[in-house]
Amino acid sequence: MRDYAKVMPKFWHGETCQEVRRRGSEGALVALYLMTSPMSNMLGLFSQPVLYMAEETGLGLEGASKGLQACIEAGFCRYDERTKMVWVVEMAAYQIAPKLKASDNRCAGIQREYDALPNNPFLGEFFDRYQQAFHLSCRRGFKGASKPLPSQEQEQEQEQEQEQEQEREEPSPTAQASSPASPSTDLLGEASESTVTDHPASTLLTVVLASYHEILPNCRRIAVLNPKRRKRIQAADKLARQVCKQQGWTYVPKDFWEAYFDQCLQDPWLRGEVPNPKNPGWKQNLDVLLAEDRFAEIMDRAIATMADAA
């Protein structure tokens, strides 16, 4: 999350913002939200699931969708439903500068951040818009399959090292799951709002791991339930329950997690078939699949699939 973002007072008097406002108050709020979103970056090209937007603006799903459409029609931003990526077209010029000298160190930083963006349809257009302004040197195109980013590779390596260290110290999740537990006990042993209706004798942890291991056998098997992994699973479960509640659906863990990992199965990298050339021993794992930005994107597809099948 960024600690700082610029929103100039003249934002409200700009031609584009006035065009957005003419389409309704929802558009103005969404435009301001996109400039300051917790998921945003200085490039204005970032992952932004509409569900997060709906929750954090208070507009609800219908209001957020209406506001986003107003922003798109006014030319304020572009949005790709498949990748959940938004491009606020002029945001980089506002957040950084209209243009920089070639000797400015920020140019190299912009290129690095651009190189680290996930695949999306706006990569080429962003480069064309800002190549001369920021002296960009390497243009990217949109590719279908997901690939790990350099920062993700480092995180993956660190997580694998932590797992290896803790495997000798902590009991396996199988042993933990076999101990007596109430159906309403969550991953941290605290009272949970949801019950595992299809698994009356199991904890939520058992459901998540069973679905993960069965559907994604090429991914790394879970041997240690370390604190970081507990926190990720808990956060993912909480968000999934919130979204299902907003849409009036009953959250059944088994159904949701099977649908979630089925979506991961559609992508070669997510299902563990794309190796890491910098670390041949690395395998795709649950922690990567539950990273915040990625979880929101895959969850949207999983819930849409469940809705279509209902």
Side-chain angles (χ1 to χ4, degrees):
M1 181 187 299
R2 291 192 299 162
D3 295 325
Y4 172 77
K6 291 191 293 186
V7 180
M8 300 179 183
K10 65 180 182 180
F11 165 80
W12 295 104
H13 300 287
E15 182 178 344
T16 303
C17 186
Q18 291 183 36
E19 187 65 29
V20 170
R21 292 208 314 269
R22 279 193 283 270
R23 290 171 164 78
S25 58
E26 296 93 345
L29 180 55
V30 168
L32 183 60
Y33 173 79
L34 291 176
M35 296 285 285
T36 58
S37 167
M39 303 182 75
S40 66
N41 55 38
M42 65 179 179
L43 305 184
L45 180 53
F46 52 94
S47 173
Q48 184 59 70
V50 177
L51 291 171
Y52 280 21
M53 188 189 307
E55 176 71 20
E56 292 172 337
T57 61
L59 288 172
L61 190 58
E62 183 178 352
S65 299
K66 180 180 177 181
L68 178 60
Q69 186 60 37
C71 290
I72 295 171
E73 292 174 356
F76 178 80
C77 69
R78 307 273 301 281
Y79 191 79
D80 178 58
E81 182 64 32
R82 187 169 82 84
T83 61
K84 310 301 180 188
M85 294 291 291
V86 66
W87 178 29
V88 182
V89 180
E90 297 300 319
M91 187 165 166
Y94 283 106
Q95 297 297 309
I96 304 170
K99 65 179 184 177
L100 300 173
K101 294 182 179 180
S103 58
D104 195 311
N105 290 334
R106 286 178 291 177
C107 293
I110 294 168
Q111 181 70 59
R112 284 195 299 271
E113 184 148 351
Y114 171 75
D115 291 342
L117 289 171
N119 287 324
N120 68 84
F122 309 125
L123 292 169
E125 293 177 81
F126 178 91
F127 182 91
D128 295 340
R129 165 65 180 84
Y130 289 106
Q131 178 185 13
Q132 295 184 356
F134 300 144
H135 307 279
L136 303 179
S137 58
C138 183
R139 188 181 193 274
R140 294 177 59 195
F142 180 46
K143 299 178 181 179
S146 301
K147 292 184 178 180
L149 308 181
S151 59
Q152 292 170 347
E153 292 177 351
Q154 295 172 3
E155 181 182 2
Q156 294 162 1
E157 293 170 1
Q158 292 171 359
E159 288 170 348
Q160 184 169 339
E161 291 174 359
Q162 291 172 359
E163 288 174 358
Q164 293 171 347
E165 291 175 359
Q166 295 184 39
E167 280 175 355
R168 296 186 296 270
E169 302 175 1
E170 299 187 20
S172 70
T174 303
Q176 295 178 17
S178 63
S179 61
S182 167
S184 60
T185 301
D186 70 2
L187 301 183
L188 301 180
E190 300 170 347
S192 172
E193 298 176 5
S194 62
T195 58
V196 186
T197 55
D198 287 354
H199 294 260
S202 305
T203 63
L204 175 63
L205 170 63
T206 304
V207 177
V208 175
L209 295 186
S211 300
Y212 167 72
H213 289 142
E214 179 180 354
I215 297 172
L216 301 172
N218 289 331
C219 294
R220 183 177 179 84
R221 293 190 64 82
I222 300 302
V224 174
L225 186 63
N226 57 39
K228 186 175 183 180
R229 183 172 293 135
R230 286 173 178 265
K231 184 176 180 180
R232 280 188 174 173
I233 298 176
Q234 184 184 42
D237 174 68
K238 180 179 179 180
L239 179 59
R241 285 187 283 115
Q242 288 176 345
V243 172
C244 288
K245 182 178 179 180
Q246 289 172 358
Q247 300 192 18
W249 300 336
T250 300
Y251 174 66
V252 180
K254 181 177 183 294
D255 293 345
F256 170 77
W257 286 104
E258 286 182 352
Y260 184 86
F261 292 125
D262 277 340
Q263 288 301 312
C264 294
L265 193 62
Q266 309 307 312
D267 186 292
W269 182 67
L270 295 177
R271 66 174 179 255
E273 294 182 359
V274 178
N276 183 342
K278 296 182 179 180
N279 185 2
W282 178 85
K283 294 183 69 175
Q284 184 61 274
N285 61 77
L286 182 63
D287 302 291
V288 175
L289 300 182
L290 297 186
E292 183 178 353
D293 292 357
R294 184 173 298 108
F295 179 77
E297 176 187 339
I298 300 172
M299 178 184 66
D300 283 351
R301 299 201 301 266
I303 291 178
T305 300
M306 292 169 65
D308 292 340

